[in-house]
Structure formats: C-alpha cells, structure tokens
Amino acid sequence: MEAKTERSELTKTAIVDMALEMAALDGLESLSIGEIAKRLDLSKSGVFSRIGSREALQKAVLDEFDRRFQQDIIVPALREPRGLPRLDAMLRAWLERALRPGSRGACLYAAGAFEFDDRDGPLREMLMAGIQRWRQSLKRTMLQAQEAGQLRPDADLDQLTFELDGLMMALMREARFLRNPDTATRGWASYQRLLDHYR
C-alpha cells in the first residue's frame, strides 16, 4: 500500500511539473487534462484521479510556481543581512531567474497578470495573492533598510515598491520577448539609479 501511495505521489508531481512547464510557455489557459495525459503517457482518468479538475490543475500549478519562486528568490536572500544587502540579493536572484531559457525563467506572475487582467475568479485571486506577497517582501526589506539608515527616513516605500515592480515587468519583456543580451547590465544599472534617489 505504501509503495502504491508513493508511486501516486510521484505521478502527481510529474503531472504538476509538466503542467507548470506548459503554463510557463503557453499560459495557464493552455492546460488540459487530455494534453497532460498524452505528454506523460497516462490515461485521462489517471490524471484526473490524482489532480482533479482542470481548475484544480491550474491551482496546483500556481501553488508550485509560488513555492519555486520563494525558493529561488526569497529564501536565498534571507541569508543576507537585513536591508539593502538583502534587497540586492532578491533583485539579483530575480534577474538571474528571468534570464534562464525556456520555462525555467518564465514568470507566471508577470504573464498571468496579463492573461487574467480582465477576468475575475479564483485563478486571478491566486495570482494576485502571489504578486502581493512578492511586493510585501520587497516593501518589508525596504522598511528594514530604512530602519537601518540605508534609505532616507522620508522615502516613499510604496512608490519605490511600485517602481521596482514596474522595472521587473520591463526586464521580463526585455529578457524574454526582446531577448536583449544587455538586459542584466541595463537592469542592474536601472535598479542602482532608482535606489540612489532614495538613499
């Protein structure tokens, strides 16, 4: 019984991994139980029994993307001292991730914001929650920088959060759509110029 449960969990992991790769390249709306089954050489009922409906699959993909985003960007940055060293680490990790080829560098927060900008529903809510968690992490780190005297006491952290988030969206387009080889250099220079205004 234990081996069967373990196999089932491995299969569920494979389903979510495949679905995340598809969503990263073609959007969350591209997901279908049938296509996942075909790509993994499983029956539709086998996929459904492990994951449930198409919406459940999309939610599982967003959960897994959020987990990986935290692991790639937030967790490593927590090893750095509070304030600007930690913010620098978050931005470097985010930029490095955006430059990865294919699905490994895709950002469902960026793509999903456009895919679901005019639609209401649970997937939009999940995407919004993930984006808001990311922005809260940025703002919390900036607040620590402000408390440490690394940013001006009168710095408008809501404005800085807005500007950094906007810079990241521009960098995604520059790196992924325009495939500009100077993205990392230009992105880091823009980030430093922005911070200089608030130091």
mmCIF file with all atom_site columns, all heavy atoms in Angstrom, residues 61-72:
data_model
loop_
_atom_site.group_PDB
_atom_site.id
_atom_site.type_symbol
_atom_site.label_atom_id
_atom_site.label_alt_id
_atom_site.label_comp_id
_atom_site.label_asym_id
_atom_site.label_entity_id
_atom_site.label_seq_id
_atom_site.pdbx_PDB_ins_code
_atom_site.Cartn_x
_atom_site.Cartn_y
_atom_site.Cartn_z
_atom_site.occupancy
_atom_site.B_iso_or_equiv
_atom_site.pdbx_formal_charge
_atom_site.auth_seq_id
_atom_site.auth_comp_id
_atom_site.auth_asym_id
_atom_site.auth_atom_id
_atom_site.pdbx_PDB_model_num
ATOM 1   N N   . VAL A 1 61 ? -0.634 24.222 -10.192 1.00 0.00 ? 61 VAL A N   1
ATOM 2   C CA  . VAL A 1 61 ? 0.478  24.843 -10.915 1.00 0.00 ? 61 VAL A CA  1
ATOM 3   C C   . VAL A 1 61 ? 0.867  26.168 -10.259 1.00 0.00 ? 61 VAL A C   1
ATOM 4   O O   . VAL A 1 61 ? 2.051  26.450 -10.054 1.00 0.00 ? 61 VAL A O   1
ATOM 5   C CB  . VAL A 1 61 ? 0.112  25.042 -12.403 1.00 0.00 ? 61 VAL A CB  1
ATOM 6   C CG1 . VAL A 1 61 ? 1.044  26.032 -13.081 1.00 0.00 ? 61 VAL A CG1 1
ATOM 7   C CG2 . VAL A 1 61 ? 0.141  23.708 -13.127 1.00 0.00 ? 61 VAL A CG2 1
ATOM 8   N N   . LEU A 1 62 ? -0.112 26.982 -9.911  1.00 0.00 ? 62 LEU A N   1
ATOM 9   C CA  . LEU A 1 62 ? 0.184  28.267 -9.259  1.00 0.00 ? 62 LEU A CA  1
ATOM 10  C C   . LEU A 1 62 ? 0.833  28.051 -7.898  1.00 0.00 ? 62 LEU A C   1
ATOM 11  O O   . LEU A 1 62 ? 1.764  28.777 -7.523  1.00 0.00 ? 62 LEU A O   1
ATOM 12  C CB  . LEU A 1 62 ? -1.084 29.102 -9.124  1.00 0.00 ? 62 LEU A CB  1
ATOM 13  C CG  . LEU A 1 62 ? -1.568 29.760 -10.413 1.00 0.00 ? 62 LEU A CG  1
ATOM 14  C CD1 . LEU A 1 62 ? -2.891 30.483 -10.181 1.00 0.00 ? 62 LEU A CD1 1
ATOM 15  C CD2 . LEU A 1 62 ? -0.532 30.722 -10.972 1.00 0.00 ? 62 LEU A CD2 1
ATOM 16  N N   . ASP A 1 63 ? 0.364  27.058 -7.144  1.00 0.00 ? 63 ASP A N   1
ATOM 17  C CA  . ASP A 1 63 ? 0.980  26.737 -5.847  1.00 0.00 ? 63 ASP A CA  1
ATOM 18  C C   . ASP A 1 63 ? 2.442  26.340 -6.028  1.00 0.00 ? 63 ASP A C   1
ATOM 19  O O   . ASP A 1 63 ? 3.317  26.770 -5.275  1.00 0.00 ? 63 ASP A O   1
ATOM 20  C CB  . ASP A 1 63 ? 0.222  25.607 -5.146  1.00 0.00 ? 63 ASP A CB  1
ATOM 21  C CG  . ASP A 1 63 ? -1.065 26.075 -4.489  1.00 0.00 ? 63 ASP A CG  1
ATOM 22  O OD1 . ASP A 1 63 ? -1.199 27.290 -4.207  1.00 0.00 ? 63 ASP A OD1 1
ATOM 23  O OD2 . ASP A 1 63 ? -1.949 25.226 -4.248  1.00 0.00 ? 63 ASP A OD2 1
ATOM 24  N N   . GLU A 1 64 ? 2.703  25.497 -7.026  1.00 0.00 ? 64 GLU A N   1
ATOM 25  C CA  . GLU A 1 64 ? 4.068  25.026 -7.267  1.00 0.00 ? 64 GLU A CA  1
ATOM 26  C C   . GLU A 1 64 ? 4.949  26.166 -7.784  1.00 0.00 ? 64 GLU A C   1
ATOM 27  O O   . GLU A 1 64 ? 6.110  26.288 -7.374  1.00 0.00 ? 64 GLU A O   1
ATOM 28  C CB  . GLU A 1 64 ? 4.071  23.868 -8.260  1.00 0.00 ? 64 GLU A CB  1
ATOM 29  C CG  . GLU A 1 64 ? 5.443  23.305 -8.570  1.00 0.00 ? 64 GLU A CG  1
ATOM 30  C CD  . GLU A 1 64 ? 6.210  22.762 -7.372  1.00 0.00 ? 64 GLU A CD  1
ATOM 31  O OE1 . GLU A 1 64 ? 5.603  22.513 -6.311  1.00 0.00 ? 64 GLU A OE1 1
ATOM 32  O OE2 . GLU A 1 64 ? 7.430  22.570 -7.500  1.00 0.00 ? 64 GLU A OE2 1
ATOM 33  N N   . PHE A 1 65 ? 4.403  27.018 -8.647  1.00 0.00 ? 65 PHE A N   1
ATOM 34  C CA  . PHE A 1 65 ? 5.183  28.167 -9.116  1.00 0.00 ? 65 PHE A CA  1
ATOM 35  C C   . PHE A 1 65 ? 5.554  29.067 -7.939  1.00 0.00 ? 65 PHE A C   1
ATOM 36  O O   . PHE A 1 65 ? 6.695  29.503 -7.815  1.00 0.00 ? 65 PHE A O   1
ATOM 37  C CB  . PHE A 1 65 ? 4.413  28.981 -10.166 1.00 0.00 ? 65 PHE A CB  1
ATOM 38  C CG  . PHE A 1 65 ? 5.147  30.230 -10.551 1.00 0.00 ? 65 PHE A CG  1
ATOM 39  C CD1 . PHE A 1 65 ? 6.195  30.175 -11.449 1.00 0.00 ? 65 PHE A CD1 1
ATOM 40  C CD2 . PHE A 1 65 ? 4.835  31.453 -9.970  1.00 0.00 ? 65 PHE A CD2 1
ATOM 41  C CE1 . PHE A 1 65 ? 6.928  31.317 -11.771 1.00 0.00 ? 65 PHE A CE1 1
ATOM 42  C CE2 . PHE A 1 65 ? 5.553  32.596 -10.279 1.00 0.00 ? 65 PHE A CE2 1
ATOM 43  C CZ  . PHE A 1 65 ? 6.602  32.528 -11.191 1.00 0.00 ? 65 PHE A CZ  1
ATOM 44  N N   . ASP A 1 66 ? 4.594  29.317 -7.061  1.00 0.00 ? 66 ASP A N   1
ATOM 45  C CA  . ASP A 1 66 ? 4.842  30.170 -5.900  1.00 0.00 ? 66 ASP A CA  1
ATOM 46  C C   . ASP A 1 66 ? 5.926  29.567 -5.011  1.00 0.00 ? 66 ASP A C   1
ATOM 47  O O   . ASP A 1 66 ? 6.823  30.270 -4.539  1.00 0.00 ? 66 ASP A O   1
ATOM 48  C CB  . ASP A 1 66 ? 3.538  30.363 -5.109  1.00 0.00 ? 66 ASP A CB  1
ATOM 49  C CG  . ASP A 1 66 ? 3.690  31.405 -4.023  1.00 0.00 ? 66 ASP A CG  1
ATOM 50  O OD1 . ASP A 1 66 ? 3.900  32.580 -4.347  1.00 0.00 ? 66 ASP A OD1 1
ATOM 51  O OD2 . ASP A 1 66 ? 3.612  31.037 -2.830  1.00 0.00 ? 66 ASP A OD2 1
ATOM 52  N N   . ARG A 1 67 ? 5.876  28.253 -4.809  1.00 0.00 ? 67 ARG A N   1
ATOM 53  C CA  . ARG A 1 67 ? 6.879  27.575 -3.982  1.00 0.00 ? 67 ARG A CA  1
ATOM 54  C C   . ARG A 1 67 ? 8.273  27.742 -4.605  1.00 0.00 ? 67 ARG A C   1
ATOM 55  O O   . ARG A 1 67 ? 9.226  28.091 -3.920  1.00 0.00 ? 67 ARG A O   1
ATOM 56  C CB  . ARG A 1 67 ? 6.539  26.087 -3.848  1.00 0.00 ? 67 ARG A CB  1
ATOM 57  C CG  . ARG A 1 67 ? 7.421  25.334 -2.854  1.00 0.00 ? 67 ARG A CG  1
ATOM 58  C CD  . ARG A 1 67 ? 7.237  23.840 -2.952  1.00 0.00 ? 67 ARG A CD  1
ATOM 59  N NE  . ARG A 1 67 ? 7.758  23.296 -4.183  1.00 0.00 ? 67 ARG A NE  1
ATOM 60  C CZ  . ARG A 1 67 ? 9.060  23.106 -4.440  1.00 0.00 ? 67 ARG A CZ  1
ATOM 61  N NH1 . ARG A 1 67 ? 9.968  23.433 -3.548  1.00 0.00 ? 67 ARG A NH1 1
ATOM 62  N NH2 . ARG A 1 67 ? 9.447  22.594 -5.597  1.00 0.00 ? 67 ARG A NH2 1
ATOM 63  N N   . ARG A 1 68 ? 8.369  27.539 -5.913  1.00 0.00 ? 68 ARG A N   1
ATOM 64  C CA  . ARG A 1 68 ? 9.663  27.656 -6.593  1.00 0.00 ? 68 ARG A CA  1
ATOM 65  C C   . ARG A 1 68 ? 10.163 29.101 -6.598  1.00 0.00 ? 68 ARG A C   1
ATOM 66  O O   . ARG A 1 68 ? 11.363 29.347 -6.455  1.00 0.00 ? 68 ARG A O   1
ATOM 67  C CB  . ARG A 1 68 ? 9.558  27.133 -8.027  1.00 0.00 ? 68 ARG A CB  1
ATOM 68  C CG  . ARG A 1 68 ? 9.354  25.637 -8.085  1.00 0.00 ? 68 ARG A CG  1
ATOM 69  C CD  . ARG A 1 68 ? 9.323  25.129 -9.512  1.00 0.00 ? 68 ARG A CD  1
ATOM 70  N NE  . ARG A 1 68 ? 8.894  23.745 -9.572  1.00 0.00 ? 68 ARG A NE  1
ATOM 71  C CZ  . ARG A 1 68 ? 8.888  23.018 -10.672 1.00 0.00 ? 68 ARG A CZ  1
ATOM 72  N NH1 . ARG A 1 68 ? 9.292  23.543 -11.822 1.00 0.00 ? 68 ARG A NH1 1
ATOM 73  N NH2 . ARG A 1 68 ? 8.486  21.763 -10.646 1.00 0.00 ? 68 ARG A NH2 1
ATOM 74  N N   . PHE A 1 69 ? 9.254  30.043 -6.767  1.00 0.00 ? 69 PHE A N   1
ATOM 75  C CA  . PHE A 1 69 ? 9.614  31.462 -6.754  1.00 0.00 ? 69 PHE A CA  1
ATOM 76  C C   . PHE A 1 69 ? 10.220 31.826 -5.396  1.00 0.00 ? 69 PHE A C   1
ATOM 77  O O   . PHE A 1 69 ? 11.254 32.488 -5.316  1.00 0.00 ? 69 PHE A O   1
ATOM 78  C CB  . PHE A 1 69 ? 8.367  32.299 -7.038  1.00 0.00 ? 69 PHE A CB  1
ATOM 79  C CG  . PHE A 1 69 ? 8.633  33.763 -7.232  1.00 0.00 ? 69 PHE A CG  1
ATOM 80  C CD1 . PHE A 1 69 ? 8.969  34.269 -8.485  1.00 0.00 ? 69 PHE A CD1 1
ATOM 81  C CD2 . PHE A 1 69 ? 8.526  34.657 -6.169  1.00 0.00 ? 69 PHE A CD2 1
ATOM 82  C CE1 . PHE A 1 69 ? 9.202  35.628 -8.671  1.00 0.00 ? 69 PHE A CE1 1
ATOM 83  C CE2 . PHE A 1 69 ? 8.763  36.009 -6.345  1.00 0.00 ? 69 PHE A CE2 1
ATOM 84  C CZ  . PHE A 1 69 ? 9.104  36.500 -7.596  1.00 0.00 ? 69 PHE A CZ  1
ATOM 85  N N   . GLN A 1 70 ? 9.574  31.370 -4.321  1.00 0.00 ? 70 GLN A N   1
ATOM 86  C CA  . GLN A 1 70 ? 10.093 31.625 -2.971  1.00 0.00 ? 70 GLN A CA  1
ATOM 87  C C   . GLN A 1 70 ? 11.479 31.009 -2.809  1.00 0.00 ? 70 GLN A C   1
ATOM 88  O O   . GLN A 1 70 ? 12.392 31.639 -2.271  1.00 0.00 ? 70 GLN A O   1
ATOM 89  C CB  . GLN A 1 70 ? 9.141  31.037 -1.916  1.00 0.00 ? 70 GLN A CB  1
ATOM 90  C CG  . GLN A 1 70 ? 7.735  31.619 -1.908  1.00 0.00 ? 70 GLN A CG  1
ATOM 91  C CD  . GLN A 1 70 ? 7.684  33.022 -1.370  1.00 0.00 ? 70 GLN A CD  1
ATOM 92  O OE1 . GLN A 1 70 ? 8.441  33.386 -0.484  1.00 0.00 ? 70 GLN A OE1 1
ATOM 93  N NE2 . GLN A 1 70 ? 6.795  33.831 -1.905  1.00 0.00 ? 70 GLN A NE2 1
ATOM 94  N N   . GLN A 1 71 ? 11.635 29.760 -3.267  1.00 0.00 ? 71 GLN A N   1
ATOM 95  C CA  . GLN A 1 71 ? 12.904 29.043 -3.126  1.00 0.00 ? 71 GLN A CA  1
ATOM 96  C C   . GLN A 1 71 ? 14.015 29.693 -3.942  1.00 0.00 ? 71 GLN A C   1
ATOM 97  O O   . GLN A 1 71 ? 15.163 29.727 -3.518  1.00 0.00 ? 71 GLN A O   1
ATOM 98  C CB  . GLN A 1 71 ? 12.754 27.575 -3.557  1.00 0.00 ? 71 GLN A CB  1
ATOM 99  C CG  . GLN A 1 71 ? 12.003 26.712 -2.560  1.00 0.00 ? 71 GLN A CG  1
ATOM 100 C CD  . GLN A 1 71 ? 12.686 26.652 -1.206  1.00 0.00 ? 71 GLN A CD  1
ATOM 101 O OE1 . GLN A 1 71 ? 12.119 27.028 -0.193  1.00 0.00 ? 71 GLN A OE1 1
ATOM 102 N NE2 . GLN A 1 71 ? 13.919 26.200 -1.160  1.00 0.00 ? 71 GLN A NE2 1
ATOM 103 N N   . ASP A 1 72 ? 13.683 30.202 -5.117  1.00 0.00 ? 72 ASP A N   1
ATOM 104 C CA  . ASP A 1 72 ? 14.689 30.807 -5.995  1.00 0.00 ? 72 ASP A CA  1
ATOM 105 C C   . ASP A 1 72 ? 15.098 32.210 -5.558  1.00 0.00 ? 72 ASP A C   1
ATOM 106 O O   . ASP A 1 72 ? 16.248 32.606 -5.753  1.00 0.00 ? 72 ASP A O   1
ATOM 107 C CB  . ASP A 1 72 ? 14.160 30.904 -7.442  1.00 0.00 ? 72 ASP A CB  1
ATOM 108 C CG  . ASP A 1 72 ? 14.089 29.560 -8.141  1.00 0.00 ? 72 ASP A CG  1
ATOM 109 O OD1 . ASP A 1 72 ? 14.638 28.570 -7.619  1.00 0.00 ? 72 ASP A OD1 1
ATOM 110 O OD2 . ASP A 1 72 ? 13.469 29.495 -9.223  1.00 0.00 ? 72 ASP A OD2 1
#
